[in-house]
C-alpha cells in the first residue's frame, strides 16, 4: 500500500511540511503504508515549463506518476490570499484529469491566523471534489497558535483514522458478483418496443 504526501510549503523548515509529516505518520501507523513525499517547492520550475511546452520534466513526471498510483493522498498547502497557493494549484492542473477519480484524499492547510481555517471548505474541498477524489470528512487546518496547543493532535488522529479506513477499504478484496439466476431472460429493448406496437388480440 502506498501513501503519497504532497506538500506545497516554500520555506525550510516549513510548518506545512511539519503538518504533512504528522498526518502521514498517523496514517501510516494505521495502514503500514509506504510513504512518499512530493515537495512541490523542488518542482516549481518543471511545473512552469510543463505549462509552456506541454511536457513534464523527469522529476515532475515521477511525482505525477506517484500521485496517480497512490492508494491514498495527503495534500497540504500554505494559505495565500485566503486560498491555496498558486504552486499547489498548478501541480494539480498538470495532473491527468482522471488521475484522482475515486482516490482517498486528506486535505490540510497551514496559515498565520485561525481566520483562514475555512480555506479547507471553500477552496480545497471543492477542488478535489471537482477532480472526483474521495475527500475524508475531517480536514486539518493549523494556525500558528495551534502548534503545541490542544485540539490539533486530536484533529490529526481523527483525519488519519478516516483516511486509513478509506485506504484499507478500497484495497480489500471485493466480493464476487452474484450470478444471475439460470431462468432469468434478458429481452432486448427493440423486441420490447416491437411487442408494444403490435395490435392487441381484441383489436382495441
Amino acid at each position: 500500500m502506498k501513501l503519497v504526501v504532497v506538500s506545497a510549503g516554500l520555506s525550510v523548515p516549513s510548518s506545512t511540511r511539519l503538518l504533512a509529516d504528522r498526518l502521514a505518520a498517523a496514517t501510516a501507523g494505521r495502514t503500514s503504508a509506504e510513504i512518499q513525499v512530493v515537495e512541490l517547492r523542488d518542482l516549481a520550475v518543471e511545473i512552469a515549463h510543463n505549462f509552456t511546452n506541454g511536457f513534464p520534466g523527469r522529476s515532475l513526471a515521477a511525482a505525477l506518476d506517484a500521485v496517480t498510483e497512490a492508494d491514498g493522498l495527503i495534500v497540504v498547502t500554505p494559505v495565500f490570499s485566503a486560498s491555496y497557493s498558486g504552486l499547489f494549484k498548478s501541480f494539480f492542473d498538470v495532473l491527468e484529469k482522471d488521475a484522482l477519480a475515486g482516490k482517498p484524499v486528506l486535505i490540510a492547510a497551514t496559515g498565520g491566523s485561525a481566520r483562514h481555517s475555512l480555506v479547507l471548505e471553500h477552496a480545497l474541498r471543492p477542488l478535489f471534489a471537482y477532480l472526483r477524489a474521495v475527500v475524508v470528512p475531517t480536514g486539518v487546518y493549523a494556525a500558528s497558535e495551534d502548534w503545541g496547543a490542544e485540539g490539533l493532535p486530536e484533529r490529526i488522529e481523527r483525519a488519519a483514522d478516516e483516511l486509513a479506513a478509506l485506504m484499507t477499504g478500497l484495497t480489500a478484496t471485493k466480493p464476487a458478483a452474484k450470478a444471475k439466476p439460470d431462468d432469468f431472460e434478458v429481452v432486448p429493448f427493440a423486441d420490447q418496443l416491437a411487442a408494444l406496437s403490435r395490435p392487441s388480440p381484441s383489436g382495441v
Side-chain angles (χ1 to χ4, degrees), residues 31-51:
T31 61
S32 300
E34 174 191 349
I35 300 172
Q36 180 176 345
V37 178
V38 174
E39 279 281 9
L40 299 187
R41 176 184 64 245
D42 300 331
L43 301 173
V45 173
E46 290 192 22
I47 291 172
H49 286 170
N50 196 158
F51 278 111

Side-chain angles (χ1 to χ4, degrees), residues 158-172:
R158 185 167 64 248
D161 272 337
E162 294 167 355
L163 180 58
L166 284 174
M167 290 176 64
T168 55
L170 290 178
T171 55

Side-chain angles (χ1 to χ4, degrees), residues 66-91:
V67 168
T68 301
E69 296 165 5
D71 296 298
L73 287 180
I74 295 172
V75 298
V76 192
T77 178
V79 175
F80 286 99
S81 301
S83 188
Y84 37 65
S85 72
L87 179 60
F88 181 86
K89 179 61 162 57
S90 295
F91 176 76

Side-chain angles (χ1 to χ4, degrees), residues 65-132:
D65 287 344
V67 168
T68 301
E69 296 165 5
D71 296 298
L73 287 180
I74 295 172
V75 298
V76 192
T77 178
V79 175
F80 286 99
S81 301
S83 188
Y84 37 65
S85 72
L87 179 60
F88 181 86
K89 179 61 162 57
S90 295
F91 176 76
F92 290 101
D93 282 344
V94 300
L95 191 66
E96 290 292 328
K97 64 183 182 72
D98 295 326
L100 299 187
K103 197 180 300 294
V105 176
L106 191 167
I107 57 174
T110 58
S113 168
R115 292 177 298 175
H116 295 304
S117 61
L118 287 177
V119 69
L120 296 173
E121 305 304 324
H122 73 66
L124 281 154
R125 197 175 296 277
L127 171 62
F128 289 96
Y130 174 78
L131 295 172
R132 294 185 291 138

